[in-house]
Amino acid sequence: MSPQQNLAIVSGASQSNNVGIFMAASIAHEVNQPLAAIVANSHACRRWLSADPPNLDRGRTTLERIIRDANAAAELISRIGGLFSRGGARARTSVDINQVINAVWQSMADEIATKNVRVVIELDRDLPPARADRIQIQQVLVNLIRNALDALDTGADNARSLRIRSLRDEAGTIRVEVRDNGIGLNEFEQIFEPFFTTKKHGMGMGLAICRSIIESHDGRLWAAPNKPGGTTFVFTLPDHASDAEALRASHGAQ
Ligand SMILES: Nc1ncnc2c1ncn2[C@@H]1O[C@H](COP(=O)(O)OP(=O)(O)OP(=O)(O)O)[C@@H](O)[C@H]1O
Ligand SMILES: [Mg+2]
């Protein structure tokens, strides 16, 4: 489903209003985290500078973090804008999905460390490159991992575990799985609707954004139950080579 189609679900507003609502909610959702980090680090920075004597080294390090997060937020906003315009596809390059998984995992290591979760990462070394917008695929992974951590918080009977896996399926398509043994799901489609949430402080935008991103890459995203419990989210992406072939074929057909 495209962002526009996705939005048809939000009733009572015209189509263009719907797109506006979806876009505003997506930006709010994605920028929330870096913004919270910027506020926290700004307070920390002020404390380091007001100390007697001022701790300039710590102040400088905190400031670097603020700059990093502010840049990340600006980048996220521009990529969300890209989801709604034809120009968005221009940010696609040949992307090593394994590298993206590793980078996301490292950037979330502190967050995960506080949760007492065993993380297993299984990467297919022969994975072909995807033609993708790296930042958008990072967003998808971050949202799926955050959801998995929430699901583990609410209900994992056994040792909490999270598995992130990349592989190439029988059809040659790149496939990424995020699997948790958390609370699990009863229904597997409604969760992708914008503003559907079961969480007290949730916006219900994470999965709607993920689906829009993956489908704009001509991939698919779905959820499936695990045995004995928990959920696996799976997304696919066409590999770069098949994408290049498709492009050649479409040019040849003209
Ligand atoms: N790994 C999971 N295990 C169990 N339920 C899940 C999982 N991921 C998502 N869900 C369900 O799907 C709903 C929608 O998820 P989504 O990420 O779209 O929104 P959210 O996490 O509630 O809020 P946010 O907008 O902050 O992401 C969740 O509220 C939860 O009920
Ligand atoms: Mg979420």
Side-chain angles (χ1 to χ4, degrees):
M1 218 187 313
S2 69
Q4 283 82 352
Q5 286 168 319
N6 212 340
L7 258 191
I9 297 157
V10 184
S11 57
S14 71
Q15 188 68 5
S16 62
N17 271 350
N18 280 345
V19 175
I21 293 166
F22 188 72
M23 190 161 165
S26 301
I27 290 173
H29 183 269
E30 297 301 294
V31 171
N32 203 19
Q33 190 75 22
L35 209 51
I38 290 169
V39 171
N41 278 322
S42 303
H43 285 293
C45 189
R46 187 170 59 188
R47 276 197 306 276
W48 294 124
L49 297 182
S50 319
D52 190 15
N55 190 331
L56 295 183
D57 277 350
R58 301 298 282 268
R60 197 172 290 118
T61 310
T62 323
L63 197 55
E64 295 297 343
R65 291 195 182 134
I66 295 171
I67 294 171
R68 181 198 61 193
D69 290 336
N71 282 328
E75 185 82 58
L76 284 173
I77 291 175
S78 79
R79 295 311 165 99
I80 289 168
L83 258 187
F84 298 86
S85 68
R86 285 170 197 276
R90 267 188 247 125
R92 307 246 166 108
T93 53
S94 178
V95 174
D96 178 348
I97 296 298
N98 288 342
Q99 242 176 36
V100 180
I101 294 174
N102 274 327
V104 166
W105 148 238
Q106 271 163 29
S107 73
M108 297 180 79
D110 288 346
E111 198 174 328
I112 295 172
T114 61
K115 305 260 181 186
N116 191 22
V117 174
R118 192 174 87 97
V119 183
V120 176
I121 299 187
E122 286 174 30
L123 302 179
D124 180 344
R125 287 169 181 273
D126 296 324
L127 204 68
R131 184 173 153 70
D133 180 326
R134 172 188 296 273
I135 305 273
Q136 287 184 343
I137 303 303
Q138 274 174 16
Q139 283 175 262
V140 170
L141 281 162
V142 167
N143 280 320
L144 295 181
I145 294 171
R146 288 232 163 88
N147 279 349
L149 294 175
D150 288 344
L152 289 166
D153 264 349
T154 3
D157 292 339
N158 310 312
R160 299 163 170 208
S161 93
L162 169 65
R163 190 184 71 179
I164 307 166
R165 192 171 164 221
S166 70
L167 63 153
R168 193 172 190 189
D169 69 16
E170 313 81 52
T173 308
I174 296 168
R175 191 173 162 131
V176 178
E177 299 177 354
V178 177
R179 177 192 175 101
D180 65 69
N181 67 341
I183 187 149
L185 275 174
N186 291 322
E187 60 73 39
F188 295 84
E189 263 315 300
Q190 207 187 359
I191 52 169
F192 293 99
E193 290 175 9
F195 306 112
F196 175 85
T197 183
T198 57
K199 299 174 192 170
K200 204 167 161 203
H201 300 292
M203 261 183 92
M205 284 305 295
L207 290 176
I209 295 169
C210 291
R211 193 167 252 189
S212 293
I213 290 176
I214 294 300
E215 293 191 349
S216 77
H217 282 79
D218 299 319
R220 287 181 56 225
L221 165 67
W222 70 95
N226 297 332
K227 281 183 185 147
T231 316
T232 301
F233 281 82
V234 186
F235 68 83
T236 61
L237 288 171
D239 74 38
H240 196 167
S242 67
D243 200 69
E245 272 161 31
L247 204 66
R248 265 198 303 280
S250 77
H251 281 172
Q254 279 167 8

